[in-house]
Amino acid sequence: MKEILALLDHRRDHARCGGGEARVAAQHRKGKLTARERIELLLDSGSFEEFDMFV
C-alpha cells in the first residue's frame, strides 16, 4: 500500500510540473505564464482546488 501511495504522490508532483521544466521554460520564453500560474494570479490564495489532475 505504501508503494501505491508513493507512486500516486510521484504522479501528482509530475502533473503539477505542467509538462516538465522544458515546457514551462518554453512558455516563459514566449512571454506566457502556465495555466497554474495564471490561476494563482487570478484567485485568492487557497481558494482553488484542482480536480481531475491526471486528465
Side-chain angles (χ1 to χ4, degrees):
M1 185 66 156
K2 288 182 182 181
E3 293 175 12
I4 294 171
L5 292 174
L7 178 61
L8 184 59
D9 284 339
H10 173 73
R11 288 183 179 178
R12 280 189 186 125
D13 291 341
H14 182 70
R16 284 186 188 110
C17 290
E21 292 181 27
R23 280 199 144 158
V24 172
Q27 284 289 95
H28 291 168
R29 278 194 303 274
K30 294 177 187 176
K32 297 180 178 181
L33 298 173
T34 66
R36 286 185 178 90
E37 290 170 337
R38 292 190 304 266
I39 289 170
E40 286 179 24
L41 289 174
L42 291 171
L43 303 175
D44 293 332
S45 179
S47 67
F48 178 75
E49 186 173 340
E50 184 172 1
F51 292 97
D52 294 331
M53 179 181 291
F54 302 120
V55 175

